[in-house]
Amino acid sequence: MSKSNAITSAPGGSCGVAPDRMSTVRTALLIAAVSLPIWAMRPLDFVKFGDIKYQVVMVIALTAGLAIFVEGMSLGGFRVRSSPLLWCLGLLVVDGLIASLVSGDSAIAVTGNSVRRDGYLMLLGNSMLFVLAYSASEDIARGEGRTVAAALVVAALPVMVYALAQSLGADPFTWEPFRGEGGRVFSTLGNPIFLGAYSMMATLVALGLWMEQGRRSRHWWLATAALGVAVTGLTASRAAWLGLALGFLALWWPALRAKALGRLILGAAISAVVGVALVGLVAWVGTPVQQTTLAQSVQTLADPQADRNAGRVAIWGIAIAMIRDNPLFGVGPDMMAEHFEEYRTADYDAAEGADHVADKPHSVLLEWAVETGLPGAVLFSGLVLGVLYLGAGVVSAPFMSSGERWPLAGVWAAAVAYMGQSLITVTAIGVDGVWWVLLGTLAGAVVAVVPKAVAVSHPG
């Protein structure tokens, strides 16, 4: 008897947990994970930006861990199938723990610095979000992936509408004077880079939902994708622009395999044209600084010597120097700022200013290498590349129905795009958590679909 069909009472008369009830709990926690950390904000308190997001993510992660534990005790075993992906995640958690313990300040390494709160506990929280989504593998095979995808897009709507209001000067909140410099929107995330990464993912997932056939809601998903393109554009986040383009290209693979390339091109073209037109309209009626910032962002994409690019390159050079000196376990999670003055360079000061400190390398691979050493970077890369590679096979599998394929294809494209943009920019609590849910959803789909693929290939 499989665990999904296990009896709901344990030997000896003790009460168990019904699988259907646990499925509902998992779904509720996944919906919370892709919405509540994004909505949580505290204006006029950016120094504590990490705190509010950290608290919400950790509450969800702890609740998920408790739910999985209770279910495991009830059924006499945990409903988490073993796989190389899960073992890789476990090794990454162990490596992060060692890096925290051997760092110069274990307290900061574990809890994170006072601004970001992105230490080892946050790694545990994101890992639990991955496991939560992964543990729903059998539910994903029955369409749970669509529930996660739809919840992410619906949760993004108020965030993106708020961003649009900001761009038109109708922000109901009062933020610090420097927030929104250059007319860049930031919504509930406090930073245009973070909003760009988030809206980019929501756009791609919405486009995947639009690709489904036979649903009346399809046009609403396309309208949301167009709004996502506009908000991503208004953040003036070049990494998010590039990530969105990468995500559009990624969707070509499942569309080509499913012979639906024409429909994808139509949806992508409509959302892109409407979104860009909306950006142009906002820039036209908005302040001159918005127009200047958008124009400069476009120009710097093709100018490696621009100040914004020079600063990024200087930070990467500092990160590489830190890795060279601490190759095994790095400096510790969220500890780059504590060591920055030892590695400050004239190039960095010229580009960013002598009074600025970089607390992240602005590249996810360099971040893992700086904070947990080269082994941590290798484990992280292996996990993510493994999920994305195997996920590509799932979303292009010939036996997948439209309702199974396209929500997961949107999730896959969003995960690819986020990884791509993260190679050249900084990540954030909340947004990063959404990505870990997407990765766990894909990993769970791989576990659920591979046996089905084997059965189709070998019907005997």
Side-chain angles (χ1 to χ4, degrees):
M1 182 182 294
S2 67
K3 290 180 182 176
S4 61
N5 297 317
I7 57 175
T8 60
S9 61
S14 60
C15 295
V17 180
D20 288 345
R21 186 180 303 169
M22 285 306 304
S23 178
T24 301
V25 170
R26 256 189 301 269
T27 299
L29 287 169
L30 287 172
I31 292 173
V34 298
S35 58
L36 300 185
I38 301 298
W39 292 341
M41 70 173 190
R42 187 181 292 144
L44 290 177
D45 196 11
F46 186 75
V47 171
K48 299 296 184 183
F49 166 82
D51 281 356
I52 187 68
K53 308 287 185 182
Y54 166 80
Q55 291 161 9
V56 175
V57 171
M58 292 307 295
V59 167
I60 296 171
L62 287 171
T63 305
L66 179 61
I68 292 173
F69 177 78
V70 170
E71 181 188 37
M73 293 298 98
S74 173
L75 299 178
F78 294 103
R79 188 187 177 188
V80 180
R81 300 183 185 182
S82 179
S83 76
L85 297 174
L86 204 58
W87 280 103
C88 190
L89 178 67
L91 291 174
L92 189 62
V93 169
V94 171
D95 181 80
L97 175 61
I98 297 173
S100 299
L101 295 178
V102 302
S103 68
D105 191 329
S106 295
I108 294 178
V110 170
T111 63
N113 67 50
S114 60
V115 175
R116 292 196 181 275
R117 295 296 181 196
D118 198 16
Y120 180 68
L121 290 180
M122 198 66 249
L123 167 59
L124 288 180
N126 286 334
S127 299
M128 182 51 67
L129 296 183
F130 180 101
V131 172
L132 172 67
Y134 178 91
S135 68
S137 58
E138 294 179 3
D139 299 324
I140 289 170
R142 296 193 298 267
E144 186 68 14
R146 189 181 194 281
T147 301
V148 174
L152 191 159
V153 176
V154 171
L157 270 173
V159 178
M160 295 192 295
V161 169
Y162 176 28
L164 199 60
Q166 275 184 338
S167 68
L168 296 173
D171 194 333
F173 296 98
T174 301
W175 298 82
E176 305 97 325
F178 69 88
R179 191 71 48 209
E181 285 183 351
R184 302 173 68 183
V185 295
F186 52 87
S187 191
T188 61
L189 293 164
N191 188 304
I193 296 175
F194 305 158
L195 176 62
Y198 174 69
S199 57
M200 171 202 70
M201 286 193 289
T203 299
L204 293 165
V205 175
L207 188 59
L209 290 168
W210 178 82
M211 289 290 291
E212 285 186 276
Q213 293 179 313
R215 289 185 179 270
R216 295 181 179 179
S217 59
R218 288 178 63 231
H219 298 301
W220 289 106
W221 298 130
L222 188 60
T224 304
L227 177 60
V229 170
V231 171
T232 304
L234 290 168
T235 63
S237 172
R238 298 163 303 161
W241 294 354
L242 295 174
L244 185 58
L246 176 62
F248 279 143
L249 289 176
L251 277 173
W252 281 56
W253 171 244
L256 191 62
R257 293 296 298 267
K259 299 181 180 179
L261 193 56
R263 192 162 80 252
L264 172 65
I265 293 174
L266 175 64
I270 291 174
S271 58
V273 170
V274 174
V276 171
L278 189 55
V279 171
L281 178 62
V282 169
W284 180 59
V285 301
T287 61
V289 70
Q290 286 179 319
Q291 303 167 13
T292 301
T293 299
L294 287 170
Q296 289 177 343
S297 294
V298 173
Q299 292 170 359
T300 57
L301 281 173
D303 182 8
Q305 303 303 317
D307 287 344
R308 288 174 69 180
N309 295 334
R312 194 65 50 87
V313 172
I315 293 172
W316 292 343
I318 291 171
I320 291 172
M322 286 188 180
I323 297 167
R324 189 184 303 120
D325 291 345
N326 305 273
L328 192 55
F329 294 113
V331 299
D334 219 15
M335 286 283 290
M336 181 174 179
E338 304 299 318
H339 296 267
F340 184 80
E341 293 301 335
E342 306 169 31
Y343 294 89
R344 182 185 289 275
T345 63
D347 289 341
Y348 176 84
D349 289 348
E352 300 288 337
D355 58 336
H356 284 202
V357 172
D359 58 359
K360 292 289 181 180
H362 281 71
S363 170
V364 68
L365 288 183
L366 290 178
E367 181 178 338
W368 279 94
V370 165
E371 297 186 349
T372 62
L374 293 176
V378 170
L379 287 169
F380 169 79
S381 301
L383 173 63
V384 175
L385 292 178
V387 170
L388 297 181
Y389 174 77
L390 295 173
V394 169
V395 300
S396 62
F399 55 80
M400 295 283 279
S401 67
S402 176
E404 292 173 326
R405 181 192 313 280
W406 291 115
L408 281 176
V411 167
W412 175 72
V416 170
Y418 187 82
M419 179 59 187
Q421 67 96 40
S422 296
L423 294 175
I424 56 174
T425 192
V426 68
T427 56
I429 289 176
V431 181
D432 220 31
V434 170
W435 184 56
W436 281 95
V437 169
L438 299 187
L439 290 177
T441 300
L442 290 169
V446 169
V447 171
V449 170
V450 166
K452 183 177 177 181
V454 172
V456 171
S457 302
H458 304 86

